[in-house]
Structures are given as C-alpha cells and as structure tokens.
C-alpha cells in the first residue's frame, strides 16, 4: 500500500506545484503555471475547498494558495475522492497544454 504522502507528492509534481509547510495546519502551495493560467489556480482552490478537513483556502498571490486544514479529518479522506478530483484537474491541465 502506498503512503498517502507519497500519493499527494506525486500529484504535486505532476501539476508543477511546490508545497511549503511552515506550521501544523498551514500549507502554502506555489506554481509557476498559475500566473499564466489563473483558471487552473481557481480549479485547484475549488478542489481543495471540497475536501473535509480543509478549513480555508485563500489566494496569496497569482502563483500561491494558502490552505488551513485539520490533519485528523484529512487523513480520513476516501482515496476515491482524491482520484476523482485528480481526474478532473488532469483534464483541465491537459486542456491548458500541460
């Protein structure tokens, strides 16, 4: 069985997103793709907001999102939920040329 962190990192790499984790419950996601494609940043924001355990996602800049979360709730996420969201994002990134 694959470690959930490994699965998540695989998707971060696929979508050219880097993650900083300055404190527990706070993550900053940055992508050089988003300034040229703000619709992709909006789609990632919507996807993150749909997860149980995510309290708030805000746009910090054209290339960065800040997410506040509850790790206990996120750990309970059904893997099928993540795969469904990933499929949707994959289509959108592909449509944008990535």
């Amino acid at each position: 069985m694959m470690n959930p962190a490994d699965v998540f990192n695989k998707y971060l790499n696929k979508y050219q997103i880097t993650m900083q984790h300055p404190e527990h419950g706070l993550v900053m996601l940055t992508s050089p793709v988003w300034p040229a494609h703000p619709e992709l940043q909006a789609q990632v924001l919507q996807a993150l907001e749909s997860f149980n355990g995510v309290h708030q996602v805000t746009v910090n800049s054209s290339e960065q999102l800040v997410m506040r979360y509850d790790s206990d709730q996120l750990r309970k996420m059904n893997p099928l939920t993540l795969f469904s969201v990933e499929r949707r994002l994959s289509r959108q990134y592909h449509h944008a040329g990535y």
Side-chain angles (χ1 to χ4, degrees), residues 34 63 87:
W34 294 340
E63 62 182 24
R87 270 202 190 121

Side-chain angles (χ1 to χ4, degrees), residues 36-76:
H37 296 280
E39 74 280 6
L40 295 177
Q41 184 186 42
Q43 293 299 320
V44 170
L45 184 145
Q46 287 178 336
L48 292 171
E49 287 180 328
S50 72
F51 296 147
N52 285 336
V54 173
H55 299 303
Q56 181 183 34
V57 183
T58 55
V59 176
N60 196 39
S61 72
S62 64
E63 62 182 24
Q64 189 174 70
L65 296 173
V66 176
M67 179 178 83
R68 296 194 177 277
Y69 67 92
D70 177 331
S71 58
D72 290 334
Q73 287 182 352
L74 278 177
R75 280 190 201 104
K76 297 175 187 173

Side-chain angles (χ1 to χ4, degrees), residues 4-5 16-17 21-22 35-36 38 41 43 47 53-54 60 68 75 77 81 84-87 92:
Q16 301 178 40
I17 299 171
H21 195 241
Q41 184 186 42
Q43 293 299 320
V54 173
N60 196 39
R68 296 194 177 277
R75 280 190 201 104
M77 182 188 307
T81 301
S84 171
V85 167
E86 193 280 328
R87 270 202 190 121
Q92 291 159 343

Side-chain angles (χ1 to χ4, degrees), residues 2-13 19 82:
M2 188 176 264
N3 179 336
D6 292 338
V7 172
F8 192 64
N9 285 328
K10 175 183 140 186
Y11 292 133
L12 289 175
N13 291 334
M19 182 175 72
L82 184 60

